[in-house]
Amino acid sequence: MKILNCIGIDDEEDCNEYLRECCQKIPFINLLGTFTDPYEALPLIRSGEIDLIFLDLHLRKIDAPVFITEIPEDIQVVIISAELEYKIMDYNMKLTAILPKPYLCERLLEVCRIASNCKPK
């Protein structure tokens, strides 16, 4: 399985902490950082090092449907949200997966496997 370089963006630090804990248990995930401010993540996103972003749907400064336009198309995005999946689909974003909050680390592992299989060779 290919190693995926990832970041997490959630304006709630406890959610970022949980993501870090879960990612430590997944051997093919390399979490390069977590951010509460999506704009602080942009330099890393644009660096070409990122394969996957875990992105909260509703951030204080900007919502994911707007922010996702700043993300290069070759980067996979997993939306993490307490909002119902069908409502997220209404935003018509290109997503690898939707991970409902609260989630178990096992469910994150499943989503990461999907992303790893989607990664270009």
Side-chain angles (χ1 to χ4, degrees):
M1 204 166 275
K2 300 281 186 192
I3 301 292
L4 294 174
N5 288 325
C6 310
I7 61 169
I9 303 173
D10 196 310
D11 53 9
E12 297 179 35
E13 185 53 42
D14 60 327
C15 293
N16 285 326
E17 176 61 32
Y18 184 68
L19 178 67
R20 288 191 293 270
E21 290 173 16
C22 290
C23 286
Q24 288 177 350
K25 300 174 186 176
I26 304 173
F28 60 94
I29 291 296
N30 182 23
L31 187 67
L32 298 179
T34 58
F35 300 86
T36 56
D37 182 337
Y39 295 107
E40 290 178 6
L42 280 176
L44 189 54
I45 291 170
R46 292 178 177 152
S47 73
E49 295 179 52
I50 303 300
D51 302 305
L52 176 63
I53 298 174
F54 301 104
L55 180 62
D56 185 27
L57 183 64
H58 297 294
L59 302 162
R60 285 186 191 102
K61 294 187 176 188
I62 190 170
D63 282 339
V66 177
F67 184 72
I68 208 167
T69 63
E70 301 286 333
I71 299 172
E73 288 193 23
D74 62 332
I75 297 176
Q76 297 182 71
V77 177
V78 172
I79 290 292
I80 300 177
S81 178
E83 194 158 322
L84 296 174
E85 186 171 342
Y86 76 89
K87 289 185 178 184
I88 296 170
M89 297 307 287
D90 285 346
Y91 291 111
N92 200 24
M93 296 177 286
K94 182 181 168 245
L95 303 174
T96 300
I98 298 170
L99 188 59
K101 285 182 182 178
Y103 60 90
L104 298 174
C105 291
E106 291 80 12
R107 180 66 181 115
L108 180 70
L109 172 60
E110 292 172 21
V111 166
C112 290
R113 283 186 177 138
I114 291 167
S116 180
N117 291 331
C118 292
K119 183 179 178 187
K121 307 290 185 230

